């Protein structure tokens, strides 16, 4: 028999494809040429990472898309630090991508698990940066105003959430 722990089931209900819990925040505006990658498509396996499911048995098209576009560096913001942000960062680094987490544009579920994940990410080769440091980094490579705007909006939005 398949057993669904209650907590897992409740978490999945908030993110069911097409439900209100799976919608993007209305302040997060789409940009031209943006790519959206679906994850968590197998209802029997959770998927914290944007690259792989939690069992490392199924992957999203994210890594292939990044390779196709010639991407070598990724900048990660979002929620939750201790789950989706952390596991996406660890998988990006595992794939050989230079990986940055913008520390003032993330929020976690709990302080202790967030701190543990940040430590794990640092040990896994992920670089922690602030929004200001990312601005300086990105400005050195050309016009990336749309990326900078997205990071600024993420920082503003996540700063409203409880820490």
């Amino acid at each position: 028999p398949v057993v669904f722990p209650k907590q897992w089931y409740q978490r999945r209900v908030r993110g069911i494809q097409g439900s209100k819990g799976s919608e993007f925040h209305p302040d997060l505006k789409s940009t031209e040429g943006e790519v959206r990658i679906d994850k968590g498509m197998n209802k029997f396996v959770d998927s914290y990472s944007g690259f792989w499911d939690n069992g490392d048995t199924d992957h999203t098209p994210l890594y292939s898309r990044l390779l196709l576009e010639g991407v070598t560096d990724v900048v990660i913001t979002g929620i939750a630090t201790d789950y989706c942000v952390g596991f996406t960062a660890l998988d990006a680094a595992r794939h050989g991508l230079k990986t940055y987490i913008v520390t003032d544009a993330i929020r976690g579920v709990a302080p202790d698990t967030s701190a543990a994940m940040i430590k794990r990410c640092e040990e896994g080769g992920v670089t922690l940066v602030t929004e200001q440091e990312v601005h300086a980094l990105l400005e050195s490579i050309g016009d990336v105003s749309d990326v900078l705007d997205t990071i600024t909006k993420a920082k503003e939005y996540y700063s409203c959430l409880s820490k």
Side-chain angles (χ1 to χ4, degrees):
V2 177
V3 178
F4 294 97
K6 187 174 181 186
Q7 183 179 7
W8 181 86
Y9 179 74
Q10 288 175 339
R11 186 170 51 233
R12 298 293 296 164
V13 168
R14 288 195 305 267
I16 290 177
Q17 194 173 27
S19 72
K20 184 167 175 53
S22 69
E23 295 172 356
F24 286 101
H25 191 277
D27 291 344
L28 185 61
K29 304 298 180 202
S30 296
T31 59
E32 187 176 329
E34 123 185 321
V35 176
R36 291 186 179 176
I37 303 291
D38 290 328
K39 66 175 190 158
M41 302 308 289
N42 180 344
K43 66 181 177 181
F44 300 109
V45 181
D46 220 340
S47 296
Y48 297 143
S49 171
F51 291 91
W52 289 91
D53 67 21
N54 289 4
D56 271 350
T57 57
D58 194 21
H59 61 86
T60 70
L62 178 56
Y63 184 58
S64 299
R65 183 61 189 243
L66 295 174
L67 283 176
L68 182 68
E69 299 289 335
V71 173
T72 57
D73 297 38
V74 294
V75 177
I76 299 174
T77 67
I79 54 173
T81 305
D82 28 3
Y83 296 98
C84 299
V85 169
F87 284 103
T88 298
L90 287 168
D91 282 346
R94 182 174 69 159
H95 282 298
L97 298 165
K98 179 64 181 160
T99 306
Y100 302 89
I101 291 178
V102 186
T103 56
D104 49 355
I106 58 175
R107 284 294 175 265
V109 172
D112 57 338
T113 53
S114 294
M117 179 57 83
I118 289 293
K119 181 179 181 194
R120 188 172 166 190
C121 286
E122 287 180 299
E123 291 168 352
V126 175
T127 303
L128 304 179
V129 293
T130 63
E131 177 197 15
Q132 189 174 19
E133 291 168 323
V134 171
H135 277 257
L137 245 165
L138 292 175
E139 286 173 348
S140 70
I141 63 171
D143 182 20
V144 289
S145 56
D146 57 335
V147 175
L148 296 175
D149 288 345
T150 300
I151 291 170
T152 300
K153 285 179 181 170
K155 179 185 173 186
E156 291 168 1
Y157 176 68
Y158 297 126
S159 69
C160 296
L161 300 176
S162 61
K163 293 184 179 183

